[in-house]
Amino acid sequence: FRFMERGVEKPRFRDGQIVEVTTTAAQRLGLLYRSLCDRRQRLKNPPYTEADAQRFVLQCVLAMFAQGRGLLPANRFSDCLDRCLPQNSDDPGESTYDILYEGLFRQMNQQGQTPYGRFQGTNYFNGKLFAQIPAIHLERDELKFLKVAADQNWTKVQPAIFGNIFERTTTDRDRHAGGMHFTSENDIMKIIRPSIVQPWEQAIDQASNLKQLNQLHLQLSRYRVLDPACGSGNFLYVAYQELKQVEQVLLDKIVALENTGLRRLSLITPLQFFGIDINPFAVELARVTLMIARKVAIDRLDLNEPALPLDTLDQNICRQDALMVETWPEAEVIVGNPPFQSKNKMQQELGPDYVKTLRDRYPEIPGRADYCVYWLRRSHDHLQPCLLYTSDAADE
């Protein structure tokens, strides 16, 4: 309401500042990735692949998030970058190969906690994400891109950063051909709230005794969410955050009825969330998005559960063409933003062979249907009849 005062500067909105932080970090990480790919193309025998560059960027993202959220000792990643950045013309700086490849990232892949040395106090993160550490040396400009990203306030960086990174590392041609569209959190909630949150809130509100509430908690712990076109995982991230919030409402009601003052542990984990995507980088992004989701929920809801080691989600987020794969993971709800491609351009963008295979596989869908219709039909056929989560169902 500062606009109502005379002589004051333009109002500053906190949400806008958060978006700016996220955008700045994503821009620099996109520039870093492109620079690594350009440099690779100039080399006769490049020591790393494009997939290595993608993995390295993701490892940096997780390290910056961990530093901001207290999963790494204070300024641990930023200090590594400072060691590598030349301070003057006589100081070449240390190599990121030594500091990250042989140092911090390797320690993040070691069981237990680093007992001594420069990286003392570094905890084990996840043996999958850091099991393969690309042997990459960053040039001065690349270090600067990374340092600007690291200097952002990572406690305020939104999960949309993963969509932004994906967008900035994917060509316009690929996005258009694949019908990729990136969805804001506000629009995601228009799907998540009516399909997931409201039915659970109604069921919890209707439950009137401990037996019903305990049954609901058991059902909630077995509840599975699938996004068959998951992209960078933002739908799954929001669904996870909302279900953790719903669970806390349920546990509050249980505590009130038990009247013991003791609170039960949360049962919902990222292992209840599944995604499919054809893009290999999107799959890696989605896995990291869900890894981060747990720590964000712990901080936001003040939960008493461990944040490390991070969940291994190789079996949950898979690289496949969802329309061509034989089976999808079982799920109680399917959410997402299926790729859009108009029926008039499917042949041009997807190729005649693919379109013929698609139509042969789904003969019940008319030829005039747009690409997204196949996803909606497949989702409809995959879901089991809905069990309404009511107090009556809980008694059964």
Side-chain angles (χ1 to χ4, degrees), residues 59 62-63 66 71-73 76-77 80 96-134 308-310:
Q59 290 170 340
L62 189 52
L71 296 177
L72 279 174
R76 177 57 51 85
F77 185 70
C80 288
T96 48
Y97 180 91
D98 295 330
I99 299 300
L100 298 179
Y101 175 77
E102 290 289 355
L104 179 60
F105 289 172
R106 193 166 299 279
Q107 295 304 316
M108 292 170 76
N109 191 48
Q110 299 297 318
Q111 294 278 356
Q113 187 180 82
T114 306
Y116 307 110
R118 178 180 296 174
F119 303 106
Q120 182 177 4
T122 300
N123 287 308
Y124 171 66
F125 273 69
N126 183 293
K128 289 293 184 179
L129 182 62
F130 291 97
Q132 299 176 14
I133 306 171
L308 292 175
L310 302 171

Side-chain angles (χ1 to χ4, degrees), residues 38 40 43 62 88 98 106 108 114 144 160 165 194 197 227 263 279 292-293 303 311 342 382:
D38 290 344
R40 179 179 175 274
L43 299 175
L62 189 52
N88 52 61
D98 295 330
R106 193 166 299 279
M108 292 170 76
T114 306
K144 288 182 177 179
I165 293 172
V197 177
D227 182 349
R263 189 173 189 82
N279 185 293
I292 284 176
L303 302 179
D311 295 283
S342 71
H382 182 69

Side-chain angles (χ1 to χ4, degrees), residues 158-372:
Q158 297 174 322
I161 189 173
F162 295 103
N164 287 336
I165 293 172
F166 188 31
E167 187 171 5
R168 294 175 191 281
T169 57
T170 307
T171 66
D172 292 340
R173 174 72 180 84
D174 289 342
R175 285 200 301 274
H176 184 71
M180 303 175 190
H181 296 274
F182 304 101
T183 317
S184 69
E185 189 166 341
N186 287 337
D187 287 334
I188 290 173
M189 280 301 296
K190 295 175 184 176
I191 303 297
I192 299 300
R193 178 142 190 83
S195 63
I196 295 177
V197 177
Q198 288 177 343
W200 278 107
E201 287 179 339
Q202 293 169 3
I204 294 169
D205 186 59
Q206 293 171 11
S208 58
N209 58 58
L210 281 174
K211 179 183 176 183
Q212 293 171 351
L213 290 169
N214 287 331
Q215 182 63 27
L216 285 176
H217 197 202
L218 180 63
Q219 290 175 332
L220 195 60
S221 71
R222 297 172 177 172
Y223 189 74
R224 293 159 298 185
V225 179
L226 169 65
D227 182 349
C230 66
S232 59
N234 282 0
F235 270 89
L236 296 174
Y237 176 94
V238 174
Y240 175 82
Q241 297 296 334
E242 292 301 314
L243 269 184
K244 292 290 276 191
Q245 180 70 59
V246 163
E247 185 183 35
Q248 294 311 299
V249 173
L250 173 60
L251 293 178
D252 286 343
K253 193 166 183 178
I254 290 175
V255 168
L257 286 179
E258 286 182 333
N259 198 28
T260 63
L262 299 176
R263 189 173 189 82
R264 300 186 188 182
L265 294 176
S266 171
L267 298 180
I268 292 176
T269 78
L271 297 175
Q272 295 170 238
F273 297 78
F274 300 85
I276 305 171
D277 203 279
I278 198 170
N279 185 293
F281 190 31
V283 168
E284 294 294 340
L285 277 169
R287 289 171 182 167
V288 175
T289 302
L290 264 184
M291 289 177 190
I292 284 176
R294 184 170 211 157
K295 174 58 176 172
V296 172
I298 289 171
D299 292 347
R300 184 170 61 89
L301 301 172
D302 194 25
L303 302 179
N304 183 25
E305 61 179 86
L308 292 175
L310 302 171
D311 295 283
T312 299
L313 299 168
D314 289 16
Q315 301 303 313
N316 289 64
I317 315 293
C318 301
R319 182 192 175 189
Q320 293 170 326
D321 183 334
L323 293 182
M324 298 300 177
V325 69
E326 288 299 324
T327 59
W328 285 4
E330 292 299 319
E332 279 65 52
V333 63
I334 297 176
V335 296
N337 184 3
F340 177 82
Q341 193 57 259
S342 71
K343 63 182 181 300
N344 296 326
K345 291 191 176 182
M346 284 174 61
Q347 295 267 0
Q348 175 185 342
E349 300 292 352
L350 302 175
D353 292 342
Y354 182 89
V355 172
K356 182 181 184 305
T357 302
L358 186 67
R359 288 174 175 168
D360 289 345
R361 192 176 182 87
Y362 298 92
E364 70 279 10
I365 298 178
R368 64 182 180 274
D370 292 331
Y371 190 38
C372 62

